[in-house]
Amino acid sequence: GYDAEWVSLPACAAGAPFTRVRMFIVASPSSANGRRFGGVSKCDGVPQQTSPLRLEWQQRHADRLALADQRALDRWAQLLGRPAPDPLEYGVNGQPRLTAVFEEWLMGLPLGHVTGVPELARQQQIKALGNGVVPQQAALAVRTMLAEKVAA
């Protein structure tokens, strides 16, 4: 059998401008003691999950939230070493929609990592990016689990 060790971290713990919580699990032969390492539940300056009460509060304080969102985006741009691309484009129906290049940037991926694949349509790119993990978040999860293992 196997034991598992895990940590649950939001992407913003690694500097991303959004929460997107992911669980990272490492399994080892059952001779090791499995344990949960915990994680970070929220991040400063990054919008959290929306409840009806939170949504109402956000609507009343939209100007302050926009500033917090912009600070989170600016911090991410600094961490990545490149500015954010345009977040919106106009679709075939003339309505604004999220650009895949912006989503790719939000995920901390190199330009063209997903959007440079000619076989993927925009919808497939957005789906792949939405199901992905921020690499910096995964690296932080590994560092967290290793630090806990060394300390034990």
Side-chain angles (χ1 to χ4, degrees), residues 72-152:
L73 291 170
D74 291 346
R75 184 177 60 242
W76 191 235
Q78 186 175 15
L79 285 169
L80 294 178
R82 64 183 196 273
D86 288 333
L88 299 175
E89 64 187 6
Y90 291 100
V92 293
N93 62 0
Q95 296 297 313
R97 65 183 188 180
L98 183 68
T99 64
V101 172
F102 182 70
E103 179 74 12
E104 185 175 57
W105 177 84
L106 281 174
M107 293 297 291
L109 298 171
L111 181 62
H113 186 77
V114 173
T115 58
V117 179
E119 295 81 17
L120 293 179
R122 178 195 167 275
Q123 184 178 9
Q124 293 169 312
Q125 293 172 353
I126 294 288
K127 184 176 181 178
L129 291 163
N131 288 329
V133 171
V134 175
Q136 295 86 341
Q137 180 184 16
L140 177 60
V142 169
R143 287 193 308 271
T144 300
M145 287 190 277
L146 287 175
E148 290 287 336
K149 196 166 199 73
V150 169

Side-chain angles (χ1 to χ4, degrees), residues 54-69:
R54 183 179 293 273
L55 184 59
E56 179 183 335
W57 184 89
Q58 287 174 339
Q59 289 169 345
R60 284 183 294 162
H61 297 72
D63 56 337
R64 287 192 294 190
L65 286 173
L67 181 59
D69 290 348

